[in-house]
Amino acid sequence: MVLRTADIARGTGYSVQQVRNLERDGILPPVPRTPSGYRVYGVAHLWSVRAYRALAAGTGPVEAKRILREARERGPSRLFELLNGAHARLDRERRDVEFAREAARAIADEPVGDTRPADDMSISELARVLGIRASALRHWDAEGLVVPHRAGQSARRYTPGDVRAARLVHQLRLAGYGIESLRKLIPRLRDVGRSDEITRALAERDTGIDTRCAALFEAAAALHMLLRTQ
């Protein structure tokens, strides 16, 4: 079957320029040309573009390009290895989200109660308890996520409430939450004092993982057809 660039674009939902970009980036198999310079695509190119689009949705465009390049250079075994790795990463993300859900639920619902200065922690003490670098706590302070108390120019001191917030941020970071998302979520958690908000937020993460899993299944189907054409 002989296809034009426009045919590939229509069959994949990409623009003509996007198809040419994939060819330029070495994502597609070599594209022969007629003596007059016109590109001549085949079914393998169609399935390659479909596979890339689905892989990009499931793994991101950089990883999608790597998978297709290495699969073409090293064969099906390498392709299967990379796909297995992509599914394994999503599985780890899903388990991390579930762990964060359970941990954050317990943390968010803990009563802080009356506190005393002796209950406060220094930045080095809190970093050691969380198993992170003190620089991470300084970054969270600068971003307004966990802002410790200070007396004048004295060192940071974290109250039990600050410690609880730091534990929440730590668990959510492990679950893949970015700083911008946490800026929106953490103040709401402080306001409601319950785990409802975090449960809903983590459910959104679950939905995102489901969407990427579905994209990987779509990619696998396209890759199966691509292998059959080779």
Side-chain angles (χ1 to χ4, degrees), residues 189-202:
L189 283 173
R190 291 197 190 102
D191 292 340
V192 299
R194 303 197 324 265
S195 61
D196 299 7
E197 290 281 351
I198 200 168
T199 298
R200 284 193 289 271
L202 289 172

Side-chain angles (χ1 to χ4, degrees), residues 177-228:
Y177 262 80
I179 295 296
E180 187 61 36
S181 298
L182 288 173
R183 279 202 204 98
K184 300 173 183 177
L185 178 62
I186 295 300
R188 295 204 301 266
L189 283 173
R190 291 197 190 102
D191 292 340
V192 299
R194 303 197 324 265
S195 61
D196 299 7
E197 290 281 351
I198 200 168
T199 298
R200 284 193 289 271
L202 289 172
E204 292 176 4
R205 295 285 299 184
D206 278 329
T207 299
I209 292 171
D210 286 344
T211 299
R212 289 157 63 199
C213 282
L216 282 182
F217 277 111
E218 182 180 347
L223 290 165
H224 173 68
M225 296 303 297
L226 175 60
L227 291 175
R228 292 184 62 182

